[in-house]
């Protein structure tokens, strides 16, 4: 189910815990608007004043979000998902299904499309909006067949020299019995290996949750972008807290110390570019979000599209092999 | 001294103080069959229980000693040492954890890489040290692994990796996750050179190591009874809210599902790996 973008201005925003002051103000504005309709007194000035107050309040709150709060924004139920971006950044999307050996995993979508007229391959995690849809998409947690579908589409793109865009938004690969039986580990590992040697440009964007190996399995590329309020981590803050602090209540501390936000990861040199989000997060204005993401994708593709396949792989491998901070000391 | 202690007959107190204790480590108990074994018997059997065949945990250097010929070995990547890029602190500082693990194990991080030979067949072998922060993969493990692979490429040798690990090292955050991409990219280079890569999975092999290079080897071997999987059993149980089937995620289960080439008893590993290496490289059999 896609976000209803045409009606977006009228869609009721879901507010997060730390946004309660904004929610209260917006409720007041809403009430005044309602009163305005059958009132003789003009209160539009008051409404305008409150609206700008809501704006500046949002600005204040969003200026000092903690990593844990950013993780909440990244998981916001109204956040645009892969299919939303496909709809507004690309044209002529032809969805391709199935891994050709077991099933079609709806937690990963993929297919051919046009980007400014050019043929491209798109692969992305897909979460669901309502309960039924969430279950259908398995909460964006792929099984091996999802990763194998992604692999098949990457190979297909390579065969026809078509660049690949991936969109990452998953809590992680599905930790289930069937997923283990069908080789979740092998499926993820195989993708990492193939992505390191794929002979076409690979542009990866973290649009929501970048959950560990399940995210990385479609996130090895020539350019890694992150939306401003998305997260990318080796383990979820809750998972890390329950292992190291022995309590998932400490998720905010874990989020802080692990470094999961776009800004921090950019500083650490682990991603290439942060794409700014509209005030209050991508879900407040998906259209403008799609617009700035499109520009960023254009730039990223332009940077690598002139490279020969050999140079492209050489450049990508130099990046991959350079990951990690350590010291060197001659041993006797 | 409390009144109770004063009341106790002096004999009992004296007996406690003078009791001769059994020397530490003379006996070990097999966790699988509960047989009490002479530690020296266990060790002379490559730490495989002589009663039930249970494969006990091995230290990385012991394993390399058992696998490699004694002559002409040297270590690769020992110069690479850990840092704390995130200034990570939970209940303990990461730097303290590293220092404690170093003191406890005598290793500088969770991987030892050696060049040497197995029954005269030259190889590079990377081996995880599970005793060092659960054999977790951070930047040092990743870099030593890559240096091992690069040495193999340079000298046109096969590469072997023996895993014993819980996965990525949380204390290095996303740097650890990126080690999955890094190590696997190195394996892809090895594959382009048509050099064999053999992966030997031992107890346990899970998480980010299982889901990167471990299963993309040309031949995937496992020790009997090893726990191998992407997610740990506890996480799966919490997710699916049902009891896991017997033997789930053990080597024998994986073999049945088609995830492994074979299960190899530790005492046969030298022979079998040497055989595989000579077959893959089309060189005559070694005696």
């Amino acid at each position: 189910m896609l976000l209803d973008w045409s009606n977006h201005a009228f869609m009721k925003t879901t507010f997060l815990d730390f946004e309660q002051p904004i929610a209260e103000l917006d409720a007041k504005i809403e009430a005044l608007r309602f009163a305005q309709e059958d009132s003789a007194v003009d209160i539009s000035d008051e409404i305008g004043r409150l609206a700008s107050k809501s704006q500046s309040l949002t600005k204040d709150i969003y200026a000092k979000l903690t990593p844990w709060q950013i993780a909440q924004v990244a998981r916001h139920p109204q956040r645009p998902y892969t299919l939303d971006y496909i709809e507004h950044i690309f044209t002529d999307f032809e969805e391709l299904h199935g891994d050709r050996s077991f099933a079609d995993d709806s937690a990963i979508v993929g297919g051919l499309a046009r980007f400014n007229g050019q043929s491209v391959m798109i692969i992305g995690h897909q979460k669901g909006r309502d309960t039924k849809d969430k279950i259908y998409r398995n909460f964006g947690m792929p099984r091996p067949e999802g990763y194998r579908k992604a692999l098949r589409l990457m190979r297909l793109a390579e065969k026809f020299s078509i660049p690949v865009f991936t969109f990452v938004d998953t809590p992680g690969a599905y930790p289930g019995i069937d997923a283990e039986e069908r080789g979740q580990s092998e499926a993820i590992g195989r993708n990492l290996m193939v992505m390191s040697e794929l002979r076409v440009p690979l542009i990866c964007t973290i649009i929501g949750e970048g959950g560990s190996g399940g995210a990385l399995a479609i996130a090895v590329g020539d350019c890694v972008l992150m939306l401003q309020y998305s997260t990318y981590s080796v383990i979820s803050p809750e998972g890390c807290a329950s292992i190291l602090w022995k309590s998932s209540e400490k998720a905010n501390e874990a989020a802080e110390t692990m470094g999961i936000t776009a800004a921090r990861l950019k500083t650490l040199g682990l991603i290439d570019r942060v794409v700014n989000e509209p005030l209050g997060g991508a879900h407040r204005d998906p259209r403008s979000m799609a617009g700035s993401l499109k520009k960023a994708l254009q730039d990223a593709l332009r940077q690598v599209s002139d490279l020969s396949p050999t140079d492209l792989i050489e450049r990508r491998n130099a990046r991959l092999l350079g990951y990690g901070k350590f010291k060197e000391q001659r041993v006797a | 001294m409390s009144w109770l202690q004063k009341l106790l007959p002096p004999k009992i107190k004296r007996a406690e103080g003078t009791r001769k204790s059994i020397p530490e480590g003379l006996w070990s108990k097999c966790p699988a069959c509960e047989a009490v074994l002479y530690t020296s018997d266990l060790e002379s059997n490559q730490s495989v229980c002589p009663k039930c065949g249970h494969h006990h945990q091995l230290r990385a250097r012991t394993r390399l000693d058992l696998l490699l010929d004694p002559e002409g070995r040297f270590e690769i990547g020992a110069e690479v040492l850990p840092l704390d890029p995130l200034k990570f602190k939970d209940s303990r500082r990461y730097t303290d954890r590293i220092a404690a693990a170093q003191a406890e194990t005598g290793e500088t991080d969770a991987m030892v890489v050696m060049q040497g030979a197995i029954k005269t067949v030259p190889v590079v072998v990377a081996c995880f040290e599970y005793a060092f922060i659960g054999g977790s993969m951070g930047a040092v493990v990743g870099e030593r692994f890559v240096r091992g692979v690069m040495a193999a490429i340079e000298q046109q040798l096969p590469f072997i990796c023996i895993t014993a690990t819980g996965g990525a090292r949380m204390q290095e955050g996303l740097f650890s996750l990126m080690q999955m991409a890094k190590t696997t990219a190195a394996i892809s280079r090895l594959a382009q050179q048509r050099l064999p890569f053999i992966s030997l999975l031992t107890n346990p092999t899970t998480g980010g190591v299982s889901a990167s290079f471990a299963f993309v080897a040309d031949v995937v071997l496992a020790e009997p009874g090893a726990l191998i999987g992407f997610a740990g059993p506890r996480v799966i149980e919490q997710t699916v809210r049902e009891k896991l089937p017997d033997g789930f995620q053990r080597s024998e289960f994986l073999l049945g599902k088609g995830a492994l080439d074979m299960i190899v008893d530790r005492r046969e590993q030298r022979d079998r790996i040497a055989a595989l290496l000579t077959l893959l490289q089309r060189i005559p059999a070694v005696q």
Side-chain angles (χ1 to χ4, degrees), chain A residues 175 180 185 188-189 193 196-197 216 232 234 245 258 268 314 317 320-321 323-329, chain B residues 79 81-83 86 89-90 139 143 147 173 177-179 182 184 188-189 192 210-212 229-231 249:
Chain A
E180 294 286 330
S185 290
I188 295 172
M193 187 160 163
S196 77
E197 62 193 27
L216 185 67
Y232 195 8
V234 65
W245 279 264
M258 270 202 301
L268 293 170
E314 210 44 54
N317 271 268
L320 295 176
L321 296 176
Y323 282 132
K325 288 206 173 9
F326 49 83
K327 60 184 172 185
E328 275 191 77
Q329 207 167 71
Chain B
E79 68 279 6
L81 299 170
L83 282 177
L86 300 177
K89 183 172 177 277
D90 48 271
E143 181 66 17
R147 289 188 187 193
L177 192 73
M178 292 307 153
Q179 300 311 308
K182 173 173 173 167
T184 313
S188 147
R189 295 205 150 188
Q192 280 154 21
S210 170
S212 53
F230 169 68
Q249 293 186 312

Side-chain angles (χ1 to χ4, degrees), chain B residues 55-102:
Chain B
H55 283 49
H56 290 240
Q57 199 88 51
L58 275 186
R59 296 292 303 273
R61 283 182 203 274
T62 316
R63 199 177 266 286
L64 288 165
D65 273 343
L66 293 172
L67 190 65
L68 292 172
D69 297 344
E71 316 77 41
R73 299 180 200 172
F74 60 90
E75 195 170 340
I76 296 169
E79 68 279 6
V80 182
L81 299 170
L83 282 177
D84 176 19
L86 300 177
K87 308 267 169 284
F88 196 97
K89 183 172 177 277
D90 48 271
S91 52
R92 278 167 91 186
R93 280 178 200 287
Y94 176 41
T95 45
D96 293 344
R97 272 187 206 270
I98 294 174
Q102 287 176 338

